[in-house]
Amino acid sequence: MNLLKKIILALMIIAFGGQSFANNKNTNDDKFKPGPFITGHIGDAYEWHIATIGETHISVPLLCIVYSEHTGLHAFCSSNLQHGHEYQGFKIAGEGSKYENKIVENIDGQEVRPWDFSITKNVFALFFSIALILFIFISMAKNYTKNIGKAPKGFYNLIEPLILFVRDDICYASIDKKYADKFLPFLLTVFFFIFINNLLGLIPIFPGGANLTGNIAVTCVLAVMVFIITTFSGKKEYWQDIFWPKGVPIWLKIPPIIPAVELMGVFTKPIVLMVRLFANITAGHIIALSFFSLIFIFGEKSMVAGYGTSVVSIIFTVFMSVLELLVAFIQAYVFTLLSAIYFGLAVVEEHEEHQPVLEK
């Protein structure tokens, strides 16, 4: 179904967009710009753009909430700011501004950035995914309560192996079983949050299509949570291995060469988690949108070239969609696995060496 939706979307782009660009190929003002097209789709926005048919833009307006130090709190619909319009002294900064695509306030002819608490596209996608996750697992818990001792059926039968996979192959395999259950709820939450949002990002139809896990702010928050849990869960053996590791020559400890490297690793590990998830998810969206851009670029030359390119673009997009389905799972798995490994290292205890018993 996901691949079918992408094909339908591509055909809609060809049908409605290709002809428009072909008709205006001689006007420089209407020349297709792949850069803004790609960044506009993978970036955040104050409205949820669905489609453009001719000169008609179909979008879902969202709620803008801003606090100005000069005029106080304001709440209004983002449709009031469309097409560069100004509303209550606020507007969306245009191209070339240091606050480009952000809400700014006009104070004495200068653009001033207010405190922005708006429900943007990514925020709305976050709320939707949280509601979806709660619905899935609360209803699943109720189903287990009603059918104690019975195997789950239907959709729940698909979710249960994933839960057992995270528990047995990630959590229990990476963390001492004495502490594993303590971290299991967080690992399950992180895995399904990333996995479900990765899948929603592949669906080009509202409320899917948001690049939530490809937003550096979202991955940063996830990484910071892993860092906080690892830091506050670390036992004395964990900190000893950082500041005074065993088996390391004394001349590497004083001056603290190895401790400095180990301490740096405490901060670089969550940074790597953040960048890896952000880069992989964003790259997939950019590649798919680049194939769509080829349709318009060649369509400006001639309609025949546009339609010819569309065939190749759709084939590569379908291929990329299959890969992205795999990447959606792999990235959720890698992030959860590395988090579990970090937790396991933090709570590891020094075990006594047992001497083998010699048979008499």
Side-chain angles (χ1 to χ4, degrees), residues 7-25:
I7 293 174
I8 293 174
L9 176 64
L11 292 175
M12 288 175 62
I13 292 174
I14 296 170
F16 297 111
Q19 184 176 358
S20 175
F21 281 111
N23 293 336
N24 299 308
K25 62 181 179 179

PDB file of all heavy atoms in Angstrom, residues 7-25:
ATOM      1  N   ILE A   7       3.374   5.740  -5.880  1.00  0.00           N
ATOM      2  CA  ILE A   7       3.170   5.744  -7.325  1.00  0.00           C
ATOM      3  C   ILE A   7       2.034   6.686  -7.703  1.00  0.00           C
ATOM      4  O   ILE A   7       2.129   7.453  -8.664  1.00  0.00           O
ATOM      5  CB  ILE A   7       2.874   4.307  -7.818  1.00  0.00           C
ATOM      6  CG1 ILE A   7       4.121   3.429  -7.640  1.00  0.00           C
ATOM      7  CG2 ILE A   7       2.454   4.309  -9.280  1.00  0.00           C
ATOM      8  CD1 ILE A   7       3.882   1.971  -7.956  1.00  0.00           C
ATOM      9  N   ILE A   8       0.935   6.644  -6.912  1.00  0.00           N
ATOM     10  CA  ILE A   8      -0.204   7.540  -7.182  1.00  0.00           C
ATOM     11  C   ILE A   8       0.219   8.985  -7.044  1.00  0.00           C
ATOM     12  O   ILE A   8      -0.144   9.840  -7.858  1.00  0.00           O
ATOM     13  CB  ILE A   8      -1.371   7.209  -6.228  1.00  0.00           C
ATOM     14  CG1 ILE A   8      -1.936   5.818  -6.552  1.00  0.00           C
ATOM     15  CG2 ILE A   8      -2.462   8.265  -6.334  1.00  0.00           C
ATOM     16  CD1 ILE A   8      -2.984   5.345  -5.569  1.00  0.00           C
ATOM     17  N   LEU A   9       1.015   9.289  -5.997  1.00  0.00           N
ATOM     18  CA  LEU A   9       1.484  10.656  -5.810  1.00  0.00           C
ATOM     19  C   LEU A   9       2.353  11.093  -6.981  1.00  0.00           C
ATOM     20  O   LEU A   9       2.236  12.215  -7.480  1.00  0.00           O
ATOM     21  CB  LEU A   9       2.269  10.770  -4.502  1.00  0.00           C
ATOM     22  CG  LEU A   9       2.894  12.134  -4.224  1.00  0.00           C
ATOM     23  CD1 LEU A   9       1.805  13.183  -4.061  1.00  0.00           C
ATOM     24  CD2 LEU A   9       3.774  12.085  -2.984  1.00  0.00           C
ATOM     25  N   ALA A  10       3.231  10.203  -7.438  1.00  0.00           N
ATOM     26  CA  ALA A  10       4.101  10.547  -8.565  1.00  0.00           C
ATOM     27  C   ALA A  10       3.284  10.819  -9.821  1.00  0.00           C
ATOM     28  O   ALA A  10       3.569  11.759 -10.567  1.00  0.00           O
ATOM     29  CB  ALA A  10       5.096   9.407  -8.812  1.00  0.00           C
ATOM     30  N   LEU A  11       2.259  10.006 -10.038  1.00  0.00           N
ATOM     31  CA  LEU A  11       1.410  10.209 -11.216  1.00  0.00           C
ATOM     32  C   LEU A  11       0.644  11.531 -11.111  1.00  0.00           C
ATOM     33  O   LEU A  11       0.443  12.218 -12.118  1.00  0.00           O
ATOM     34  CB  LEU A  11       0.429   9.038 -11.359  1.00  0.00           C
ATOM     35  CG  LEU A  11       1.079   7.688 -11.715  1.00  0.00           C
ATOM     36  CD1 LEU A  11       0.031   6.582 -11.713  1.00  0.00           C
ATOM     37  CD2 LEU A  11       1.772   7.758 -13.075  1.00  0.00           C
ATOM     38  N   MET A  12       0.234  11.899  -9.877  1.00  0.00           N
ATOM     39  CA  MET A  12      -0.450  13.179  -9.693  1.00  0.00           C
ATOM     40  C   MET A  12       0.493  14.338  -9.993  1.00  0.00           C
ATOM     41  O   MET A  12       0.101  15.333 -10.604  1.00  0.00           O
ATOM     42  CB  MET A  12      -0.973  13.285  -8.259  1.00  0.00           C
ATOM     43  CG  MET A  12      -2.162  12.390  -7.965  1.00  0.00           C
ATOM     44  SD  MET A  12      -2.652  12.461  -6.226  1.00  0.00           S
ATOM     45  CE  MET A  12      -3.092  14.197  -6.099  1.00  0.00           C
ATOM     46  N   ILE A  13       1.751  14.187  -9.565  1.00  0.00           N
ATOM     47  CA  ILE A  13       2.742  15.240  -9.840  1.00  0.00           C
ATOM     48  C   ILE A  13       2.937  15.390 -11.345  1.00  0.00           C
ATOM     49  O   ILE A  13       3.017  16.498 -11.879  1.00  0.00           O
ATOM     50  CB  ILE A  13       4.084  14.904  -9.149  1.00  0.00           C
ATOM     51  CG1 ILE A  13       3.914  14.999  -7.628  1.00  0.00           C
ATOM     52  CG2 ILE A  13       5.187  15.845  -9.608  1.00  0.00           C
ATOM     53  CD1 ILE A  13       5.136  14.558  -6.859  1.00  0.00           C
ATOM     54  N   ILE A  14       3.039  14.240 -12.036  1.00  0.00           N
ATOM     55  CA  ILE A  14       3.239  14.287 -13.488  1.00  0.00           C
ATOM     56  C   ILE A  14       2.032  14.923 -14.172  1.00  0.00           C
ATOM     57  O   ILE A  14       2.158  15.792 -15.042  1.00  0.00           O
ATOM     58  CB  ILE A  14       3.459  12.862 -14.035  1.00  0.00           C
ATOM     59  CG1 ILE A  14       4.763  12.293 -13.448  1.00  0.00           C
ATOM     60  CG2 ILE A  14       3.537  12.867 -15.551  1.00  0.00           C
ATOM     61  CD1 ILE A  14       4.931  10.818 -13.729  1.00  0.00           C
ATOM     62  N   ALA A  15       0.823  14.500 -13.755  1.00  0.00           N
ATOM     63  CA  ALA A  15      -0.388  14.952 -14.433  1.00  0.00           C
ATOM     64  C   ALA A  15      -0.649  16.434 -14.224  1.00  0.00           C
ATOM     65  O   ALA A  15      -0.956  17.163 -15.163  1.00  0.00           O
ATOM     66  CB  ALA A  15      -1.588  14.127 -13.938  1.00  0.00           C
ATOM     67  N   PHE A  16      -0.519  16.863 -12.956  1.00  0.00           N
ATOM     68  CA  PHE A  16      -0.878  18.243 -12.638  1.00  0.00           C
ATOM     69  C   PHE A  16       0.304  19.192 -12.698  1.00  0.00           C
ATOM     70  O   PHE A  16       0.151  20.351 -13.024  1.00  0.00           O
ATOM     71  CB  PHE A  16      -1.512  18.308 -11.239  1.00  0.00           C
ATOM     72  CG  PHE A  16      -2.792  17.543 -11.139  1.00  0.00           C
ATOM     73  CD1 PHE A  16      -2.858  16.381 -10.388  1.00  0.00           C
ATOM     74  CD2 PHE A  16      -3.932  17.970 -11.788  1.00  0.00           C
ATOM     75  CE1 PHE A  16      -4.034  15.670 -10.285  1.00  0.00           C
ATOM     76  CE2 PHE A  16      -5.111  17.273 -11.678  1.00  0.00           C
ATOM     77  CZ  PHE A  16      -5.165  16.113 -10.931  1.00  0.00           C
ATOM     78  N   GLY A  17       1.492  18.680 -12.335  1.00  0.00           N
ATOM     79  CA  GLY A  17       2.660  19.556 -12.295  1.00  0.00           C
ATOM     80  C   GLY A  17       3.403  19.640 -13.601  1.00  0.00           C
ATOM     81  O   GLY A  17       3.860  20.699 -14.005  1.00  0.00           O
ATOM     82  N   GLY A  18       3.523  18.501 -14.291  1.00  0.00           N
ATOM     83  CA  GLY A  18       4.313  18.481 -15.520  1.00  0.00           C
ATOM     84  C   GLY A  18       3.776  19.413 -16.575  1.00  0.00           C
ATOM     85  O   GLY A  18       4.520  20.144 -17.223  1.00  0.00           O
ATOM     86  N   GLN A  19       2.456  19.439 -16.741  1.00  0.00           N
ATOM     87  CA  GLN A  19       1.856  20.297 -17.750  1.00  0.00           C
ATOM     88  C   GLN A  19       2.031  21.766 -17.390  1.00  0.00           C
ATOM     89  O   GLN A  19       2.291  22.602 -18.242  1.00  0.00           O
ATOM     90  CB  GLN A  19       0.365  19.953 -17.879  1.00  0.00           C
ATOM     91  CG  GLN A  19      -0.328  20.734 -18.998  1.00  0.00           C
ATOM     92  CD  GLN A  19      -1.760  20.294 -19.168  1.00  0.00           C
ATOM     93  OE1 GLN A  19      -2.223  19.398 -18.486  1.00  0.00           O
ATOM     94  NE2 GLN A  19      -2.457  20.922 -20.086  1.00  0.00           N
ATOM     95  N   SER A  20       1.899  22.089 -16.090  1.00  0.00           N
ATOM     96  CA  SER A  20       2.053  23.477 -15.660  1.00  0.00           C
ATOM     97  C   SER A  20       3.451  23.987 -15.946  1.00  0.00           C
ATOM     98  O   SER A  20       3.626  25.090 -16.455  1.00  0.00           O
ATOM     99  CB  SER A  20       1.743  23.583 -14.162  1.00  0.00           C
ATOM    100  OG  SER A  20       2.000  24.884 -13.696  1.00  0.00           O
ATOM    101  N   PHE A  21       4.474  23.162 -15.650  1.00  0.00           N
ATOM    102  CA  PHE A  21       5.844  23.595 -15.886  1.00  0.00           C
ATOM    103  C   PHE A  21       6.167  23.631 -17.375  1.00  0.00           C
ATOM    104  O   PHE A  21       6.927  24.466 -17.844  1.00  0.00           O
ATOM    105  CB  PHE A  21       6.824  22.669 -15.155  1.00  0.00           C
ATOM    106  CG  PHE A  21       6.933  22.971 -13.700  1.00  0.00           C
ATOM    107  CD1 PHE A  21       6.441  22.084 -12.757  1.00  0.00           C
ATOM    108  CD2 PHE A  21       7.507  24.148 -13.259  1.00  0.00           C
ATOM    109  CE1 PHE A  21       6.537  22.359 -11.412  1.00  0.00           C
ATOM    110  CE2 PHE A  21       7.601  24.433 -11.910  1.00  0.00           C
ATOM    111  CZ  PHE A  21       7.115  23.537 -10.992  1.00  0.00           C
ATOM    112  N   ALA A  22       5.579  22.732 -18.132  1.00  0.00           N
ATOM    113  CA  ALA A  22       5.829  22.728 -19.570  1.00  0.00           C
ATOM    114  C   ALA A  22       5.245  23.970 -20.225  1.00  0.00           C
ATOM    115  O   ALA A  22       5.832  24.543 -21.143  1.00  0.00           O
ATOM    116  CB  ALA A  22       5.229  21.466 -20.199  1.00  0.00           C
ATOM    117  N   ASN A  23       4.089  24.400 -19.738  1.00  0.00           N
ATOM    118  CA  ASN A  23       3.462  25.582 -20.312  1.00  0.00           C
ATOM    119  C   ASN A  23       4.211  26.867 -19.967  1.00  0.00           C
ATOM    120  O   ASN A  23       4.129  27.850 -20.688  1.00  0.00           O
ATOM    121  CB  ASN A  23       2.011  25.696 -19.811  1.00  0.00           C
ATOM    122  CG  ASN A  23       1.141  24.566 -20.342  1.00  0.00           C
ATOM    123  OD1 ASN A  23       1.460  23.988 -21.393  1.00  0.00           O
ATOM    124  ND2 ASN A  23       0.084  24.236 -19.624  1.00  0.00           N
ATOM    125  N   ASN A  24       4.950  26.863 -18.869  1.00  0.00           N
ATOM    126  CA  ASN A  24       5.640  28.067 -18.426  1.00  0.00           C
ATOM    127  C   ASN A  24       7.154  27.937 -18.539  1.00  0.00           C
ATOM    128  O   ASN A  24       7.894  28.600 -17.825  1.00  0.00           O
ATOM    129  CB  ASN A  24       5.279  28.382 -16.956  1.00  0.00           C
ATOM    130  CG  ASN A  24       3.804  28.634 -16.773  1.00  0.00           C
ATOM    131  OD1 ASN A  24       3.222  29.442 -17.480  1.00  0.00           O
ATOM    132  ND2 ASN A  24       3.185  27.937 -15.840  1.00  0.00           N
ATOM    133  N   LYS A  25       7.633  27.087 -19.395  1.00  0.00           N
ATOM    134  CA  LYS A  25       9.069  26.802 -19.438  1.00  0.00           C
ATOM    135  C   LYS A  25       9.871  27.986 -19.960  1.00  0.00           C
ATOM    136  O   LYS A  25      11.076  28.043 -19.747  1.00  0.00           O
ATOM    137  CB  LYS A  25       9.312  25.575 -20.327  1.00  0.00           C
ATOM    138  CG  LYS A  25       8.881  25.762 -21.787  1.00  0.00           C
ATOM    139  CD  LYS A  25       9.121  24.501 -22.582  1.00  0.00           C
ATOM    140  CE  LYS A  25       8.681  24.660 -24.042  1.00  0.00           C
ATOM    141  NZ  LYS A  25       8.946  23.450 -24.815  1.00  0.00           N
TER     142      LYS A  25
END
